[in-house]
Amino acid sequence: MHGLINRAVQCFVTDSYGSDKWVEATRVADLSFVEFEAMLVYDDDMTPRLLDAVSKVLGRPRDEVMEDIGTYLVSHPNVEALRRLLRFGGVSFVEFLHSLDDLPDRARLAVSDLNLPRIELRDHSPSQFSLICESPVAGYGHVMMGVLRAMADDYGALALLEHTGAGQGKETISITLIETEFAEGRTFDLGARAG
Amino acid sequence: MSGVAHMQETMDILCPMHVVLSRTGHVIHAGPTVQKLRPGTAMMGRRFLEIFDLKRPRAITNMDGLRSIAGTKLHLQLRDAPNTEIKGVLVPGPGDGECIVNLSFGISVVDAVTEYALTSADFAATDLTIEMLYLVEAKSAAMDASRKLNLRLQGAMIAAEEQAFTDTLTGLKNRRAMDHVLARHAQWETRFGLMQVDLDWFKAVNDTLGHAAGDHVLQTVARVMVEETRETDTVCRVGGDEFVIILPYAKGSDAMESIALRIIERLTRPIPFQGEICQISASIGTAIYEPESGETMAQVLDNADVALYASKHGGRGRQTVYTEALRTQSQNLAPPTGRPTVDSD
């Protein structure tokens, strides 16, 4: 699994719960180090072990932790660069939803060896969608739930999200759009760079 | 809706950065994004070449000239600040003698979006500008992460190099470090004192009390020598129980002698180890390097060795400063008996 993904887990735990919890998690996961390098690639089996360890150390269900990771990735100031990159996907939440099919390709354009799971948006009506995520790591759908929840806030849209189950290596999220301009949302200035 | 109005609307969607010029070269329509370049002043009615300076092709000053280069790439620059550089292409327009010029930011787009507060809506849906901005930002972030990794790796490399200059048991510099320090002093022509320190009775400690005791003694010895020298001095462990101390800007034989005596005095004190007492001493030979002497570092080391042998022959636990005269006593030119090689005392 790419270092960026493992590093995201590390930053989430460190920024939200402190470095002591992170060091403990690396010990529970039986890692021989505490710092992931964002630009290196690690063994695939390390990531699920790490997620289980984080869940154990924090005393919270793994699905819940994974959703929080998704929310963290979009909303925490330390990872503002990522929110900006996602916002390039569209000018409205619906446009953003439609850009998700391209997400793995967009990621690969930025970092050529970063392979994100495939995701596919199906629209059933103008306000009803489902997102089908490939999940090489169980719970990836929950990460996407967190991302979507935070992005809806970012765009000022009101949406109901529900994880409707997993099977055959895929997870499904049902999205009901209640209102597209529910709140102000955060601004997205094309020219501003995340510092 | 008239045909012209319809066409303008179409063009505003397809090419929001186009202008339509009259036969006389005045702007008769400006696309919505072009107008954003100069929000304060209307472009309509102004001469195109008054707003834009045509950098290339050169020497075109009027509408006839512009019409003659239809279809070629134009390099333009706004005449007043901010002087954004803009690319363009001109084609014949709908009316007689009219022209359409489509514009684009080219490489200046990254600055332009900030300068003119542009949003996605200012670019045509098919325009790749947004994707390009995404890429610029994504690549900068990735590059930043790579640079940080490189810095950390460089730090690790320096640490590894540092370790390679260090004797792991005592934390003193090793022989390799000593060679570097000597070479540097030779290059800088620093006068320095060089002490060869050889432990006495160390082998007995190792043999009777074991290697753990030996290691403890070596660590204690290292600490003493560091304590008894200045920070600018270099203490190296160059063999099992052999040490070299380099003392830059050495004052003279007297100063060297008193440092050596102090070290011997402290090393002669009993060293307790797990209920046992380790008793050692040290012999020291000192040489002073005078840059004007033209001596090589090998010669300086050899001089200190001769002085060291003199100390050993003299009964150990003593110090000698090198003089030419020592070489006249042949015993000083070889290690004392029972000490066949330098490394296996």
Side-chain angles (χ1 to χ4, degrees):
Chain A
M1 197 70 69
H2 201 280
L4 273 168
I5 293 170
N6 293 308
R7 178 95 189 162
V9 178
Q10 176 184 340
C11 291
F12 161 73
V13 177
T14 313
D15 289 343
S16 317
Y17 298 92
S19 47
D20 287 357
K21 290 282 182 199
W22 169 248
V23 171
E24 201 183 329
T26 58
R27 224 168 23 228
V28 173
D30 204 18
L31 301 185
S32 50
F33 54 90
V34 293
E35 283 281 323
F36 277 103
E37 283 296 345
M39 285 296 150
L40 297 181
V41 175
Y42 297 84
D43 284 347
D44 278 349
D45 65 337
M46 216 175 250
T47 311
R49 216 164 69 218
L50 183 64
L51 289 166
D52 284 335
V54 169
S55 150
K56 194 169 162 193
V57 168
L58 300 181
R60 302 181 51 209
R62 182 169 138 167
D63 290 351
E64 222 176 276
V65 169
M66 290 185 81
E67 187 174 332
D68 280 0
I69 293 176
T71 309
Y72 164 85
L73 288 177
V74 179
S75 55
H76 199 281
N78 285 2
V79 281
E80 168 72 8
L82 189 60
R83 174 192 89 95
R84 284 191 52 81
L85 292 180
L86 286 170
R87 280 290 293 253
F88 274 106
V91 289
S92 69
F93 185 59
V94 175
E95 224 180 86
F96 165 74
L97 287 178
H98 282 110
S99 77
L100 286 174
D101 289 6
D102 299 335
L103 192 64
D105 291 331
R106 279 180 172 268
R108 224 181 355 262
L109 266 183
V111 181
S112 56
D113 57 352
L114 174 60
N115 290 308
L116 292 184
R118 292 261 145 223
I119 41 187
E120 189 192 336
L121 184 85
R122 297 197 181 152
D123 36 353
H124 310 296
S125 79
S127 62
Q128 188 66 48
F129 309 85
S130 45
L131 192 70
I132 296 149
C133 318
E134 266 181 19
S135 56
V137 174
Y140 182 67
H142 289 277
V143 176
M144 282 311 295
M145 278 252 286
V147 168
L148 290 182
R149 221 184 272 292
M151 284 308 282
D153 275 359
D154 215 88
Y155 279 105
L158 182 63
L160 290 183
L161 304 171
E162 197 187 350
H163 194 283
T164 51
Q168 295 172 330
K170 289 184 176 168
E171 296 179 39
T172 309
I173 302 167
S174 131
I175 305 160
T176 311
L177 197 59
I178 313 281
E179 217 172 312
T180 49
E181 283 169 55
F182 173 70
E184 182 82 338
R186 284 170 72 190
T187 54
F188 176 63
D189 181 354
L190 271 189
R193 297 280 197 84
Chain B
M1 194 191 297
S2 78
V4 170
H6 178 70
M7 196 209 72
Q8 271 176 6
E9 220 167 87
T10 308
M11 285 293 287
D12 283 351
I13 292 171
L14 293 179
C15 310
M17 279 192 72
H18 81 286
V19 288
V20 183
L21 307 183
S22 71
R23 164 199 289 279
T24 54
H26 291 78
V27 175
I28 52 177
H29 174 76
T33 306
V34 177
Q35 187 55 63
K36 274 204 160 185
L37 300 184
R38 288 295 178 266
T41 46
M43 291 210 173
M44 298 273 281
R46 292 178 65 198
R47 282 191 64 218
F48 179 75
L49 288 173
E50 271 169 21
I51 306 170
F52 296 98
D53 178 19
L54 181 62
K55 313 279 281 184
R56 243 176 300 146
R58 292 182 182 284
I60 287 181
T61 51
N62 56 36
M63 242 345 243
D64 285 340
L66 273 179
R67 272 189 288 264
S68 72
I69 51 165
T72 47
K73 186 174 186 176
L74 311 179
H75 294 255
L76 302 152
Q77 186 171 27
L78 281 158
R79 284 187 184 274
D80 53 350
N83 306 92
T84 308
E85 296 204 20
I86 289 187
K87 304 215 171 356
V89 62
L90 177 142
V91 292
D96 183 31
E98 289 177 0
C99 294
I100 298 172
V101 187
N102 195 25
L103 302 170
S104 148
F105 287 110
I107 208 71
S108 67
V109 67
V110 178
D111 294 327
V113 288
T114 315
E115 196 83 70
Y116 305 111
L118 302 177
T119 70
S120 307
D122 293 320
F123 297 95
T126 50
D127 191 325
L128 290 177
T129 297
I130 304 300
E131 277 75 8
M132 198 185 96
L133 291 174
Y134 161 81
L135 258 188
V136 168
E137 219 169 299
K139 282 291 178 196
S140 310
M143 188 65 92
D144 201 41
S146 288
R147 210 183 42 241
K148 281 181 187 152
L149 172 61
N150 283 340
L151 281 176
R152 273 194 295 274
L153 289 180
Q154 196 187 24
M157 195 183 77
I158 290 168
E161 266 177 6
E162 179 71 24
Q163 274 168 4
F165 280 120
T166 306
D167 171 53
T168 44
L169 176 67
T170 60
L172 297 177
K173 300 290 181 208
N174 58 17
R175 184 179 284 277
R176 214 177 126 225
M178 179 191 77
D179 290 339
H180 272 267
V181 171
L182 287 179
R184 215 167 52 208
H185 285 317
Q187 193 188 353
W188 292 345
E189 301 189 343
T190 325
R191 175 193 158 90
F192 65 85
L194 185 142
M195 286 183 191
Q196 298 262 21
V197 185
D198 217 358
L199 300 188
D200 300 322
W201 327 122
F202 176 72
K203 192 168 181 294
V205 172
N206 251 344
D207 289 350
T208 56
L209 300 174
H211 283 288
D215 287 352
H216 175 71
V217 165
L218 289 172
Q219 283 163 345
T220 309
V221 166
R223 204 189 59 236
V224 165
M225 288 196 291
V226 169
E227 281 170 6
E228 292 300 335
T229 51
R230 302 163 301 176
E231 226 169 87
T232 47
D233 299 337
T234 308
V235 185
C236 317
R237 180 174 176 228
V238 296
D241 60 350
E242 296 160 52
F243 302 83
V244 166
I245 307 177
I246 301 161
L247 307 103
Y249 309 108
K251 287 209 185 69
S253 314
D254 292 353
M256 292 297 103
E257 200 176 312
S258 70
I259 295 170
L261 287 175
R262 223 164 51 224
I263 291 173
I264 292 170
E265 188 275 317
R266 284 201 55 191
L267 293 184
T268 313
R269 295 182 199 170
I271 301 169
F273 178 74
Q274 293 180 352
E276 304 278 351
I277 294 294
C278 313
Q279 183 66 59
I280 57 153
S281 181
S283 299
I284 298 180
T286 305
I288 292 175
Y289 169 67
E290 305 279 2
E292 54 272 24
S293 70
E295 281 174 321
T296 64
M297 290 303 117
Q299 281 170 317
V300 179
L301 282 164
D302 189 59
N303 290 347
D305 253 344
V306 169
L308 172 65
Y309 296 152
S311 294
K312 290 266 184 195
H313 288 296
R316 303 173 197 250
R318 54 182 69 208
Q319 74 83 36
T320 311
V321 176
Y322 174 77
T323 56
E324 281 287 336
L326 291 174
R327 287 195 187 267
T328 59
Q329 294 160 276
S330 58
Q331 56 178 12
N332 292 339
L333 301 177
T337 44
R339 192 179 183 283
T341 64
V342 179
D343 284 337
S344 63
D345 191 1

